[in-house]
Amino acid sequence: MSGRAGHALSLQGISRRYGDFVAVAEASLEVGSGRFLTLLGPSGSGKTTILMMIAGFVEPSAGRVLLDGRDITAVPPERREFGMVFQGYALFPHMTVAENVAFPLRVRRLGRAEREARVRATLDLVQLDRFADRRPAQLSGGQQQRVALARALVFDPALLLLDEPLSALDKKLRAELQDELKALHRRVGRTFINVTHDQEEALSLSDEIAILNEGRLVQVGAPRELYERPATRFVAGFLGRSNFIEGEAERDAGGIVLRRGGTRVLGVGAARPGRALLSLRPEKIAVLPEGAAEENVVEGRIAAWSYLGTEFSITVGTADLGVLKVQVPSWRIPLMPAEGMAVRLGWPRAAAVAVAEDPA
């Protein structure tokens, strides 16, 4: 790799319509040089359509795509010099690993010596130099994914676009390749734009995540920011799991107080007096031992529970707050759960975050 710095990408109000159907609606997004951005959302949310508009394979119905401030909306895909890794890798089965990686260089008519040097260096980068003479069918799924990455990087692309590159792998291998992809991003310093519907993958890999729903950008931010301070019910429910508590809210010095039945819940965030909604992550709720106190405390009975090795997953029915899902690390649980058992649950004020209802 040449060591060339990453490039900045700007999407300015891009939309894509197919007749009356709006696949993407006025999406604006800034991706800084050398950053790893993930487009995250359920199937049909518009994330792949945005990636295809960035790549140049789909023309926006409105808006502009800029690279380092230069409008490339009308530039054809072959002139954008973007690397791309597809979900199925799209390797040539009759070519060796080295020939697959060399293919973009042959298209660009690089000389043989330079071509071979670049292929060697890129295969070394993805730790596949020993497999240069093998064919794709002789490789594991993870190795094939690395070949696809090498082929996308070998010509020194301005951006690397990733269309669900890990989705074909099993869970264990996917976790291993996430670590490798993150390390590869650090080494090459390029701007990566990734598409996935896997929340854990997005949280693990990304500098920023852009969450989409029904063609609209819902929230953009760093992984921890989105997880800890989701803006809407959809974001809180899609990025991880969440309990939702509805009630009448009033402001106080520390945030908000939400009343539901005879229970008061202390929370944080912006909410006007009146009907409000709090998001409460299951792992932030503790099963309290006898005599313990917390800023929020509610009593209930265990309706169901599961032992998952590292944690217990517990469903607790309460009188005023309804059913609460609780995740407790196995080594920290103060009792052995049983159906019908009375328990006290507690959580700090900062764990209950005000979120907006999703637009109708």
Side-chain angles (χ1 to χ4, degrees):
M1 306 297 292
S2 71
R4 182 176 65 181
H7 293 258
L9 181 76
S10 177
L11 307 181
Q12 298 184 348
I14 60 169
S15 299
R16 178 62 195 186
R17 297 178 181 85
Y18 297 95
D20 294 334
F21 175 68
V22 180
V24 175
E26 298 180 354
S28 295
L29 189 61
E30 300 293 330
V31 187
S33 172
R35 304 293 282 174
F36 194 125
L37 173 97
T38 292
L39 300 168
L40 175 68
S43 297
S45 61
K47 55 189 185 296
T48 297
T49 302
I50 289 179
L51 193 74
M52 293 300 104
M53 287 192 284
I54 294 170
F57 297 127
V58 172
E59 182 181 354
S61 303
R64 301 193 304 163
V65 180
L66 281 72
L67 184 70
D68 294 331
R70 179 173 63 92
D71 191 338
I72 62 168
T73 311
V75 175
E78 66 273 14
R79 291 181 51 204
R80 296 192 184 192
E81 288 293 296
F82 295 169
M84 190 153 191
V85 179
F86 295 96
Q87 182 175 341
Y89 313 139
L91 301 177
F92 299 113
H94 62 286
M95 293 184 181
T96 66
V97 166
E99 289 168 343
N100 265 281
V101 175
F103 183 77
L105 304 180
R106 294 177 66 92
V107 170
R108 288 162 175 79
R109 301 184 183 279
L110 264 72
R112 181 175 178 178
E114 183 178 357
R115 194 167 66 232
E116 291 179 350
R118 284 206 190 188
V119 169
R120 283 196 303 271
T122 309
L123 286 178
D124 183 62
L125 184 70
V126 297
Q127 302 172 42
L128 283 178
D129 47 304
R130 295 183 295 112
F131 300 90
D133 295 326
R134 295 192 186 182
R135 300 207 189 287
Q138 297 173 293
L139 304 177
S140 68
Q143 290 166 340
Q144 290 182 44
Q145 192 248 24
R146 288 188 207 142
V147 176
L149 282 167
R151 187 178 61 184
L153 287 167
V154 72
F155 62 93
D156 208 13
L159 298 179
L160 185 64
L161 309 180
L162 304 155
D163 187 14
E164 305 218 35
L166 308 181
S167 62
L169 306 175
D170 63 51
K171 185 175 182 180
K172 183 175 183 296
L173 186 56
R174 193 162 61 239
E176 293 174 1
L177 267 293
Q178 284 175 17
D179 292 340
E180 291 187 22
L181 186 56
K182 192 169 184 177
L184 179 65
H185 173 252
R186 287 197 299 267
R187 289 198 297 271
V188 302
R190 295 293 178 277
T191 305
F192 282 24
I193 300 176
N194 179 45
V195 160
T196 187
H197 62 272
D198 187 305
Q199 297 92 331
E200 290 185 8
E201 179 184 317
L203 289 168
S204 170
L205 289 173
S206 313
D207 296 315
E208 287 103 20
I209 300 172
I211 299 182
L212 291 109
N213 188 31
E214 297 181 344
R216 295 189 177 276
L217 274 174
V218 181
Q219 190 174 358
V220 182
R224 185 174 182 183
E225 173 192 342
L226 297 185
Y227 189 84
E228 298 292 343
R229 290 291 182 267
T232 68
R233 180 193 283 264
F234 173 80
V235 174
F238 185 75
L239 194 64
R241 291 184 288 176
S242 193
N243 297 290
F244 294 102
I245 303 170
E246 298 181 60
E248 295 295 318
E250 59 189 51
R251 295 286 302 175
D252 75 357
I256 65 172
V257 176
L258 185 143
R259 297 178 183 273
R260 182 174 174 128
T263 300
R264 298 169 72 250
V265 180
L266 306 180
V268 295
R272 296 177 181 178
R275 204 70 184 163
L277 180 68
L278 294 177
S279 166
L280 176 61
R281 300 288 188 189
E283 71 274 12
K284 296 188 177 183
I285 304 174
V287 176
L288 298 177
E290 186 175 350
E294 188 51 275
E295 289 177 284
N296 289 293
V297 177
V298 64
E299 296 180 353
R301 290 190 177 274
I302 296 176
W305 64 276
S306 299
Y307 173 66
L308 305 176
T310 59
E311 66 184 24
F312 283 90
S313 177
I314 306 172
T315 302
V316 178
T318 71
D320 291 331
L321 305 187
V323 174
L324 295 177
K325 298 287 188 179
V326 184
Q327 293 172 228
V328 184
S330 300
W331 64 275
R332 290 189 58 185
I333 196 163
L335 48 81
M336 183 61 196
E339 289 187 20
M341 177 184 289
V343 290
R344 294 169 65 243
L345 304 178
W347 59 90
R349 177 175 205 149
V353 180
V355 295
E357 285 285 7
D358 301 307

